[in-house]
Amino acid sequence: MIPLAGSDLKFPVRRIFCIGRNYSDHVREMGFDPKREEPFFFTKPADALVNDGATIDFPLGSANVHHEVELVAAIGRQGSNIPVERAQDHIFGYAVGNDLTRRDLQIAARDRGRPWDISKAFDQSAHVAPLVPVKGGAHLKKARIKLAVNGETRQDSDIAEMVWSVPELVAHLSRFQVLMPGDIVYTGTPAGVGPLKPSDTLEASIEGLPSLTIHIAHGGG
């Protein structure tokens, strides 16, 4: 469940979809060609969700866990094969998110041609701030996106730098999945991803949305 900003209501989460490599600068820092290829998605379990202000354990089984600040789009209306020009009609609202990644396990899986699940779909790996419902068709198209660890800025970009826009992502995903109310989409991260350690505090923000703060427990889990 994601709290709605300024309300006692909550948004029940059904599924979590995430896109990989959706900012050119991040594609380059990961060692890939930033040409505009067809978007690809992975998923996280709904119970990986962690709300703003939480303290989490350091993830098990990894020595290199990275932060990835992202814009999260929440689906509020069912649809499949959605045209790009109608995709925003299916978006309920937006939030700041952070996708935790076990980078060492991701690279090992990638190099062996194996699925990414162990590096992405783990406990407490999908962080999200309060959700802001869309009002009067005011969808986010340009906004500064930032993440700091212990007060030091690590990521600083603009959502306008996405390779694929949010409507394009929703439309594309709906070709393969019937999108339903309660689905949420993490829309990719800009450059500056980096390692976290026990006792770190990360603060993520997107202009116009409530910020996200997550603490990592001292000594891990």
Side-chain angles (χ1 to χ4, degrees), residues 50-58 124 200-201 213-218:
V50 175
N51 289 313
D52 176 53
T55 297
I56 66 168
D57 294 326
F58 191 83
Q124 301 181 315
D200 278 349
T201 294
T213 300
I214 298 291
H215 310 280
I216 301 177
H218 176 71

Side-chain angles (χ1 to χ4, degrees), residues 11-205:
F11 181 86
V13 173
R14 182 173 181 266
R15 294 178 295 185
I16 301 174
F17 297 101
C18 310
I19 184 175
R21 304 175 196 161
N22 198 33
Y23 287 76
S24 294
D25 54 0
H26 175 57
V27 175
R28 291 189 189 94
E29 76 174 350
M30 295 304 294
F32 295 95
D33 185 344
K35 63 185 179 181
R36 197 172 193 255
E37 298 178 337
E38 184 173 291
F40 69 93
F41 294 86
F42 56 92
T43 61
K44 290 176 179 277
D47 64 1
L49 202 70
V50 175
N51 289 313
D52 176 53
T55 297
I56 66 168
D57 294 326
F58 191 83
L60 298 171
S62 177
N64 191 18
V65 175
H66 281 204
H67 56 77
E68 298 186 1
V69 62
E70 312 202 12
L71 173 67
V72 177
I75 303 299
R77 177 179 167 189
Q78 180 177 335
S80 60
N81 291 310
I82 301 167
V84 173
E85 59 272 16
R86 299 308 304 258
Q88 289 182 332
D89 297 342
H90 295 261
I91 297 174
F92 172 80
Y94 297 97
V96 178
N98 179 58
D99 164 20
L100 275 193
T101 302
R102 290 163 163 158
R103 190 71 71 203
D104 47 357
L105 302 188
Q106 182 190 37
I107 292 171
R110 182 193 70 194
D111 290 348
R112 292 172 173 81
R114 296 176 179 175
W116 285 5
D117 296 54
I118 198 70
S119 68
K120 288 286 192 178
F122 57 92
D123 297 338
Q124 301 181 315
S125 63
H127 309 160
V128 66
L131 183 64
V132 177
V134 173
K135 295 181 180 179
H139 290 268
L140 288 176
K141 297 178 182 177
K142 182 177 176 60
R144 191 176 186 184
I145 179 170
K146 295 177 60 179
L147 183 140
V149 177
N150 302 326
E152 177 188 355
T153 299
R154 296 268 191 92
Q155 296 181 266
D156 190 352
S157 187
D158 196 289
I159 64 169
E161 298 300 317
M162 288 184 188
V163 176
W164 295 90
S165 69
V166 176
E168 288 173 327
L169 293 176
V170 170
H172 185 84
L173 182 57
S174 76
R175 291 168 48 196
F176 306 96
Q177 302 276 359
V178 178
L179 296 181
M180 300 291 291
D183 292 341
I184 62 174
V185 183
Y186 281 65
T187 60
T189 193
V193 301
L196 296 166
K197 63 184 186 303
S199 300
D200 278 349
T201 294
L202 64 88
E203 298 171 287
S205 63

